[in-house]
Amino acid sequence: MEDTTDGALGEGHDLDPSTVDPAPRRVRDADLSTVAWALWTTSRPDQLLLVVAVYAMGATIAVAQGAALSAGAALAGLAALLPTAASIHYANEYADYETDALTDRTPFSGGSGGLHEARLPKRLARDAMLATAVVAALVAGLLWATGALPTVAAAVLVVSAVLGWGYSLPPLALAWNGLGELDNAVLGGLLLPHYGAAALAGSFELAVCLAVLPFTALVFVNLLATQWPDRRADAAVGKRTLPTRWSPARLRVAYVAGTVVAFGSLAALWGRVIPPLVAGATLLALPFVAWGAATYTRDEWPFPTVAAMVVAAVAQLLAWAVVAGLPARVAALLR
């Protein structure tokens, strides 16, 4: 793989990770409210909310494609998902402790900042990761053993956990060798909604994978954008993301390529796998991704691309819900 680090980083990338204090104070020296706030912040509640939305999108796709609507099955899948997602977020906070201390944080990049703001050591994130992973394993195992979580859904969750932890942690450490963006796109764009679908349908459906292909491509583009502001700090600690490895010109080509895949696949699947209402709703993200393409690598603000991904997720969720007839079903239940 071509290494054009200097072109990507530009001037002022000589950050010194040795200036980061790995353990500002012991956890037991902090008050309980501070520790609780740090744990809440580093769980990334905003991202957990998006995880729930994408999970719900997958479940709604399954209903639209003929699966039975079951609140119990949906809640069971969510019960296993949330601690798994939290453990992945804690793993990322633990692995990125040094780079997050060096980067100029934005609302969409640079980690949560919770550990550094609370002056707590990275060990807290590691312990939280292990605790939530144990909870996730116990909950998922119990739900699977009782039949509440289908085998296919449990398998997708296990693969997602491995890829999520492998994004940050050895032996895979995919974010540290240029594969993190692809890994996270597959995880958040493909596996997460498929897990939601499998929780209700109980089977692997190629149609679900095709239906979320445009969204998966937008997740990849979003990762290119959110990794860009962290490139100098990532390079300083040896984290080899694509923005630390590729030149700005090459990154812009990758951004445009991801956008073409997103909306090209949307056009190809329009009216076939993806209902016209869902496809049309996805176009609401197009102005944001065009804005992002015009500004990517030219400023440090990833908001346009983040907005494109979030708008696509919410628009698709609502449109799939209409296609599945969920508003009418909910209204009937409330009567």
Side-chain angles (χ1 to χ4, degrees):
M1 183 178 290
E2 178 187 358
D3 189 342
T4 52
T5 301
D6 290 340
L9 298 180
E11 298 178 356
H13 62 269
D14 52 342
L15 301 177
D16 184 6
S18 66
T19 61
V20 178
D21 182 357
R25 60 175 170 173
R26 295 174 300 181
V27 174
R28 65 172 178 246
D29 292 335
D31 61 86
L32 184 60
S33 62
T34 299
V35 174
W37 176 86
L39 288 173
W40 168 253
T41 303
T42 52
S43 73
R44 308 307 296 270
D46 54 339
Q47 292 186 17
L48 288 176
L49 184 61
L50 183 59
V51 164
V52 173
V54 176
Y55 167 80
M57 179 175 72
T60 306
I61 292 173
V63 174
Q65 294 179 348
L69 176 60
S70 170
L75 291 174
L78 189 60
L81 174 63
L82 284 177
T84 303
S87 72
I88 292 171
H89 294 165
Y90 286 131
N92 182 255
E93 293 283 320
Y94 171 74
D96 282 355
Y97 185 84
E98 284 77 18
T99 188
D100 289 348
L102 295 170
T103 193
D104 294 324
R105 187 170 295 105
T106 79
F108 316 104
S109 64
S112 70
L115 294 177
H116 298 292
E117 290 181 28
R119 295 181 52 246
L120 291 170
K122 62 189 293 187
R123 183 173 66 85
L124 179 63
R126 181 202 64 190
D127 293 346
M129 173 195 71
L130 294 174
T132 49
V134 169
V135 171
L138 291 174
V139 171
L142 178 62
L143 291 171
W144 173 77
T146 58
L149 186 67
T151 298
V152 172
V156 173
L157 186 64
V158 170
V159 173
S160 299
V162 171
L163 290 179
W165 297 324
Y167 174 83
S168 302
L169 301 175
L172 296 178
L174 297 172
W176 296 72
N177 57 30
L179 295 175
E181 290 83 359
L182 180 60
D183 168 71
N184 225 329
V186 170
L187 176 61
L190 184 64
L191 291 179
L192 176 56
H194 201 95
Y195 171 73
L200 267 66
S203 60
F204 180 89
E205 300 293 340
L206 179 60
V208 176
C209 295
L210 292 174
V212 298
L213 180 57
F215 179 68
T216 301
L218 287 178
V219 174
F220 175 76
V221 170
N222 170 73
L223 289 160
L224 289 178
T226 55
Q227 298 279 26
W228 173 255
D230 295 335
R231 66 197 181 280
R232 297 185 181 92
D234 285 338
V237 300
K239 185 179 180 182
R240 304 284 282 163
T241 63
L242 291 184
T244 71
R245 297 165 68 91
W246 290 358
S247 68
R250 188 172 182 180
L251 288 168
R252 287 194 291 270
V253 169
Y255 189 107
V256 172
T259 302
V260 170
V261 170
F263 291 97
S265 61
L266 182 71
L269 297 169
W270 193 307
R272 297 179 175 87
V273 176
I274 303 178
L277 178 64
V278 177
T282 308
L283 293 180
L284 293 173
L286 188 55
F288 292 98
V289 81
W291 178 12
T295 58
Y296 181 51
T297 76
R298 295 180 172 90
D299 63 34
E300 305 291 308
W301 199 40
F303 168 77
T305 315
V306 175
M309 182 191 68
V310 173
V311 166
V314 174
Q316 288 197 350
L317 170 59
L318 295 177
W320 276 112
V322 172
V323 171
L326 292 186
R329 296 190 191 191
V330 172
L333 290 174
L334 294 177
R335 284 200 297 265

